[in-house]
Amino acid sequence: MSPVLDEYLREQDGVLTLAQAQAAGLSKHAVNRRVLSGQWRPCSRGVYFAADRPFTDAARIRASVWSYGAHAAASGLAAAFWHNLTQFAPDIVEVTVPRNSSGRSHPGSRVRRRDLAPDDVVEDRRLRATSLPLTVIEAAVRRRGGAKLMDSALQRHVELRELWQAHLRNKGRYGSPAARLLLQAASDGARSQAERLLLKLLREAGITGWQANYPVGGYKVDVGFPDVTVAIEVDGLAFHSDSDNFHADRVRQNNIALLGWQVLRFTWLDLIEYPQRVIAIIRKAISA
């Protein structure tokens, strides 16, 4: 095997195209000979997989995307897996192709036809995929626990500003309204949304003895239980991503704790995804 061909297979999960094989010095006849002998398995027209290695999820996604041509890109949950935002690859690979592309969908994949802006496409490990910001906002509305995915991405990967820019460049796409709600939950004013949700949960649970915006030591805690000196603070989805606010909140929390108050802190994600757990923790704190 030529060094160039070996590099392609090693770096591309065992997948390569006819054009790459020819660039490595193989004729079309030589490619067909490898297919007939079982060395290479055809995935689609002009896309092959070397059968001497495992057909991984990465290989499956790569083969699916390449089967739609040079301008195709992994998107949705397939792109989320490619960017290491999710641990498991989707069963169906979502592929975005230009709006004027022709051809039918291939088994195991779903095609979306739209024209992506240059800022919304990246090449990662020789595969085109939607950019990280666009992938985050699209994948977050394609799976249960999407708020958690966005929260994790904001803490480790992207800026909220980048998510909003990608969202606004792609208005009208599938899932756009749901993504806008998640972005609003992560933006300025999200803290007040989280506070309102907390009060709603307290009322529905029949918990009493609390006051909203209760004054403690020169501060106002979101919810205070003055009889048992328990304070509850809530945060918007992306509070971790602003280091200055994060530090100020920790100083504030420590000062309140020094006054003898137990401080419970919940995020918007906690309130949305784990409301019963939140209520159980509050019940335990106020009954101690």
Side-chain angles (χ1 to χ4, degrees):
M1 184 182 297
S2 74
V4 175
L5 195 59
D6 182 61
E7 180 183 351
Y8 279 140
L9 294 175
R10 186 178 64 254
E11 296 185 358
Q12 298 176 173
D13 311 296
V15 182
L16 80 165
T17 65
L18 175 60
Q20 290 173 338
Q22 291 176 324
L26 294 184
S27 65
K28 193 168 184 179
H29 177 71
V31 171
N32 289 336
R33 192 165 60 245
R34 282 170 167 78
V35 172
L36 290 173
S37 69
Q39 289 180 265
W40 290 1
R41 190 174 81 201
C43 300
S44 61
R45 185 176 180 180
V47 181
Y48 308 93
F49 174 72
D52 62 345
R53 60 200 72 206
F55 191 61
T56 62
D57 285 328
R60 179 169 59 87
I61 290 173
R62 189 184 292 276
S64 291
V65 174
W66 281 356
S67 70
Y68 290 97
H71 300 292
S75 56
L77 291 175
F81 177 78
W82 201 258
H83 287 300
N84 295 314
L85 292 170
T86 56
Q87 183 179 358
F88 301 105
D91 294 333
I92 302 298
V93 178
E94 182 181 303
V95 183
T96 291
V97 299
R99 194 179 299 276
N100 61 0
S101 296
S102 58
R104 297 180 178 180
S105 296
H106 303 152
S109 62
R110 179 181 298 112
V111 175
R112 298 187 62 208
R113 301 184 188 281
R114 56 176 174 161
D115 297 322
L116 294 171
D119 287 343
D120 291 323
V121 183
V122 297
E123 184 170 307
D124 180 21
R125 289 168 284 159
R126 299 185 179 180
L127 183 79
R128 282 167 52 90
T130 49
S131 66
L132 188 57
L134 181 57
T135 298
V136 169
I137 61 174
E138 292 194 328
V141 298
R142 279 169 170 71
R143 52 171 280 173
R144 190 171 180 271
K148 186 175 182 179
L149 185 151
M150 183 176 286
D151 183 56
S152 176
L154 284 166
Q155 292 184 48
R156 298 185 292 118
H157 300 289
V158 294
E159 298 287 337
L160 181 60
R161 170 182 51 83
E162 296 174 301
L163 298 186
W164 270 113
Q165 289 172 343
H167 173 73
L168 294 173
R169 279 195 302 269
N170 293 272
K171 283 184 175 180
R173 70 189 185 282
Y174 171 81
S176 181
R180 177 174 51 80
L181 292 176
L182 284 175
L183 289 170
Q184 288 173 340
S187 301
D188 292 339
R191 188 167 197 147
S192 62
Q193 293 184 37
E195 289 172 18
R196 287 194 293 272
L197 180 54
L198 173 62
L199 300 187
K200 180 173 179 288
L201 292 177
L202 290 172
R203 292 189 184 103
E204 290 177 347
I207 295 176
T208 59
W210 53 268
Q211 295 183 40
N213 297 312
Y214 188 77
V216 179
Y219 301 103
K220 282 192 176 181
V221 298
D222 297 327
V223 171
F225 290 82
D227 291 343
V228 291
T229 59
V230 171
I232 303 176
E233 297 278 69
V234 294
D235 300 290
L237 186 63
F239 85 104
H240 300 285
S241 64
D242 188 328
S243 60
D244 290 340
N245 286 344
F246 183 82
H247 176 71
D249 279 344
R250 286 300 174 266
V251 171
R252 179 174 182 271
Q253 179 172 319
N254 290 341
N255 288 336
I256 292 171
L258 288 172
L259 294 173
W261 284 68
Q262 180 183 2
V263 181
L264 303 179
R265 195 168 205 109
F266 301 107
T267 67
W268 185 87
L269 178 64
D270 293 323
L271 303 176
I272 289 291
E273 297 287 335
Y274 316 109
Q276 293 181 338
R277 183 191 304 173
V278 169
I279 291 300
I281 292 172
I282 293 172
R283 286 190 190 279
K284 185 175 181 179
I286 63 177
S287 63

